[in-house]
Amino acid sequence: MTGDDEPAGRRVGRRPKLLKAAGLTLAALLVLGAGGAGWTYWHLNDNITGVDINTALGDDRPPRSGATPAASAAPSSVPSGSLNILVLGSDSRSGAENAELGGGGEDSGARSDTAMVVHLDEGRTTATVVSIPRDTLVTRPSCPLPSGRSTAPADGVMFNSAYAVGGPVCAVKTVETLTGVRMDHYIEIDFSGFAELVDALGGVTVTTDEDIDDEDSHLTLEAGTHHLDGEQALALARTRHGVGDGSDLGRITLQQDLVKALLDQVSTTDLLTSPSKLYDVADTVTSNLTTDSELDSLTALMSLGHSLADLTSDRVDMVTMPVVPAPWDRNRVVAQEPEAGEVWESLR
């Protein structure tokens, strides 16, 4: 074990998608016809990338909520217990497509540009999504690396540095250290994967309360309702300048509105009437998917997706972890206590 902040080895380019879209579209695809079902199942299942977070972190973690693991729950049953899922958006600049969308260079490093803890209630009819500002200063624990070494622990560092130095494993461990809540599952999406999913769904309709003109995200929108393609939706998710106070908190509000709009788009898109579109969505989902090892199969994703069939956007409560400016750095924030602790306690 060493204190080197060694980049975590990982496969680049296959990152996750929307929780509900993944399970529901995959489940629907497999009932379209028996002829190509075998090849389709093999192809989509082979697309998925998994990370064995449980083995890497061992037993030194918060206790499980008592939920039925997705992989073992029958698709026709509602899983018991609540679930907490860490959903990350990665700002990876690797690959030509991500570099073009993100405006980055050749750097293969990445950070968790967006982080949401999704809490699904026992009946899967309501959910709470808690956003963690990426500018939050946290204690980053020592994290195991695939090489057998470890990252150095650090105090007062940016939350999104955990992913940069230790990949998904360190991101999960840092969130669990911050919240005291066990992350039952992990899902991640990068620039190109998010944009491709929005395009595969036919775009997404959003309403903005103010004009947006952000030179960094290259997005210009007048206040009002707009139907966005994938590249525009990604730009909206990354917009912070000219919105609210220009901080990450303003961007989080846009991201939360966008998540709800995507849930509505999934709910209103009848994919079963268009097998080719359904396949495009399912292929996009799985080919950009990275999950924990308990979710890295079609069976597990179908089970989880089926359990979310009754979850609509009006039953999703979007909140942000309470924060205050850091006393020693006004450009950063720290968790506001006891309010932040009360939020995390409600998810246990």
Side-chain angles (χ1 to χ4, degrees), residues 6-30:
E6 177 182 321
R10 59 188 178 85
R11 294 171 65 184
V12 177
R14 291 182 178 176
R15 306 250 161 58
K17 279 330 178 179
L18 257 192
L19 209 52
K20 187 174 181 180
L24 293 181
T25 58
L26 294 174
L29 183 65
L30 295 182

Side-chain angles (χ1 to χ4, degrees), residues 8-272:
R10 59 188 178 85
R11 294 171 65 184
V12 177
R14 291 182 178 176
R15 306 250 161 58
K17 279 330 178 179
L18 257 192
L19 209 52
K20 187 174 181 180
L24 293 181
T25 58
L26 294 174
L29 183 65
L30 295 182
V31 302
L32 288 179
W39 179 89
T40 299
Y41 185 96
W42 175 86
H43 173 71
L44 297 178
N45 196 73
D46 190 58
N47 279 346
I48 304 168
T49 297
V51 178
D52 192 354
I53 292 173
N54 289 338
T55 298
L57 294 183
D59 297 328
D60 186 20
R61 305 175 65 185
R64 285 187 180 273
S65 63
T68 301
S72 63
S76 60
S77 65
V78 177
S80 62
S82 60
L83 280 178
N84 292 304
I85 304 172
L86 176 60
V87 179
L88 291 188
S90 165
D91 71 346
S92 171
R93 300 301 200 273
S94 58
E97 193 168 6
N98 276 333
E100 180 181 351
L101 290 171
E106 298 299 324
D107 184 8
S108 62
R111 295 166 297 176
S112 51
D113 195 54
T114 302
M116 296 180 176
V117 175
V118 179
H119 175 81
L120 302 173
D121 78 336
E122 183 173 357
R124 306 293 187 268
T125 57
T126 62
T128 300
V129 178
V130 184
S131 295
I132 303 175
R134 71 172 190 173
D135 293 339
T136 304
L137 298 179
V138 301
T139 295
R140 191 182 69 219
S142 176
C143 303
L145 295 169
S147 65
R149 305 175 76 181
S150 66
T151 65
D155 293 323
V157 297
M158 290 267 287
F159 167 75
N160 64 352
S161 69
Y163 184 94
V165 303
V169 171
C170 198
V172 169
K173 187 169 185 179
T174 300
V175 170
E176 291 184 344
T177 299
L178 172 67
T179 66
V181 178
R182 172 73 168 248
M183 296 297 109
D184 299 296
H185 294 299
Y186 170 84
I187 293 178
E188 180 193 332
I189 185 170
D190 67 10
F191 285 164
S192 62
F194 178 82
E196 288 171 9
L197 176 62
V198 172
D199 284 336
L201 288 170
V204 60
T205 300
V206 299
T207 300
T208 60
D209 297 327
E210 57 183 304
D211 295 343
I212 296 175
D213 187 7
D214 189 336
E215 293 182 357
D216 290 341
S217 67
H218 309 295
L219 180 67
T220 301
L221 288 177
E222 294 182 353
T225 300
H226 305 272
H227 191 75
L228 308 181
D229 62 19
E231 186 172 352
Q232 292 172 317
L234 176 61
L236 181 66
R238 294 183 54 77
T239 292
R240 67 186 294 177
H241 302 295
V243 178
D245 61 1
S247 72
D248 192 43
L249 300 181
R251 173 165 52 190
I252 285 175
T253 299
L254 292 177
Q255 292 172 346
Q256 292 174 342
D257 291 343
L258 184 56
V259 167
K260 283 201 168 188
L262 282 171
L263 284 173
D264 288 336
Q265 183 69 24
V266 171
S267 298
T268 58
T269 301
D270 189 3
L271 297 174
L272 286 176

